[in-house]
Amino acid sequence: MGRPVERYHLAMHLTKLAIPLTLLLLVPHPLGRLVGATLVFLAGFALTHDLAHGALGLPPRLNDVALAAAALTNLLPGHAMRRLHARHHARPLADDDVEGEGARRSWWGALCIGPRNALRYRLEGLTGTHGAERAWVIAETALGLALAFAALESHAPAALTWLGACLFLQATMALWASHLPHRPPPLLVRLARHLTWTRSAVVASFLHHDAHHRRPWVPCGELGAP
């Protein structure tokens, strides 16, 4: 299943997801839970991104299941996000590029449109998909709502922290996932260069975004590798 490099990056994604999940579930301090929840979201987001591109060598049906599961760590519909990301790659920063809207605005403008865009991701995913893909989006949206209500009703600190982190990071995605990767400030680029050893998709988004657009089938952790 997949080439060795693809299996390696899949294993790295799962490891980067498992470690903060353990932190979220086992660390009693609120700050530790918040760090864990934030890292769970970012790790799930990176995994969703590589799965959306089919970059991890999974068979199509298994990739669909993995995409849905990975995106649910962010309470997002994976197949809707894949559709919008494909549009972004086809027409970067065009008027109909919802994902790239944050990059067309100032950092403050991107921050302001974030909550609205969090809703648009779902609506555009529903209106822009058909057949089996739309069925996936509907099922993922329903399951995400069910998970959010379950977390709220559980009153468990870990579940509530995760829910809060998901809502906050979704509401600010236009800034950190759109504006900053396309218009990174020099200080952020210098910091990212010192973190290349992590093979982090977040770091790669600041240093190798153009390379990713040229070679979207390559796992993000592989971009810039010697």
Side-chain angles (χ1 to χ4, degrees):
M1 185 176 63
R3 297 174 299 161
V5 66
E6 293 166 338
R7 292 197 298 269
Y8 166 77
H9 284 289
L10 177 59
M12 289 300 296
H13 274 299
L14 295 177
T15 300
K16 290 176 181 179
L17 186 58
I19 291 173
L21 182 60
T22 302
L23 184 68
L24 171 63
L25 295 175
L26 298 184
V27 173
H29 196 279
L31 181 58
R33 288 196 299 268
L34 181 59
V35 170
T38 300
L39 293 178
V40 164
F41 187 101
L42 295 177
F45 188 81
L47 175 56
T48 299
H49 177 267
D50 275 355
L51 289 168
H53 283 294
L56 299 178
L58 297 179
R61 289 184 181 180
L62 182 56
N63 195 84
D64 276 331
V65 174
L67 175 65
L72 281 173
T73 64
N74 307 149
L75 291 178
L76 290 168
H79 285 72
M81 302 305 291
R82 181 172 68 180
R83 172 62 60 180
L84 295 178
H85 195 58
R87 185 191 301 173
H88 171 65
H89 273 264
R91 299 183 294 277
L93 309 189
D95 290 342
D96 65 343
D97 178 13
V98 179
E99 183 181 307
E101 186 178 2
R104 301 195 301 268
R105 297 174 179 262
S106 67
W107 71 267
W108 175 248
L111 190 62
C112 289
I113 65 169
R116 183 200 71 191
N117 269 21
L119 179 61
R120 283 189 71 191
Y121 297 144
R122 293 164 170 82
L123 295 178
E124 293 272 345
L126 283 171
T127 58
T129 54
H130 305 279
E133 189 177 29
R134 174 173 287 187
W136 274 106
V137 173
I138 293 172
E140 290 163 344
T141 301
L143 188 52
L145 287 171
L147 283 175
F149 280 115
L152 195 60
E153 288 297 315
S154 73
H155 302 293
L160 293 174
T161 303
W162 168 71
L163 177 59
C166 284
L167 295 177
F168 175 78
L169 289 167
Q170 284 185 30
T172 56
M173 275 176 62
L175 175 64
W176 62 264
S178 179
H179 179 89
L180 291 179
H182 290 90
R183 300 167 63 179
L187 178 61
L188 196 55
V189 173
R190 289 197 295 270
L191 177 62
R193 288 199 180 105
H194 290 293
L195 297 173
T196 53
W197 59 272
T198 64
R199 295 288 185 92
S200 164
V202 176
V203 170
S205 72
F206 297 132
L207 295 178
H208 309 297
H209 196 80
D210 290 340
H212 167 62
H213 271 266
R214 290 192 301 270
R215 299 188 297 158
W217 59 87
V218 176
C220 279
E222 192 67 18
L223 294 172

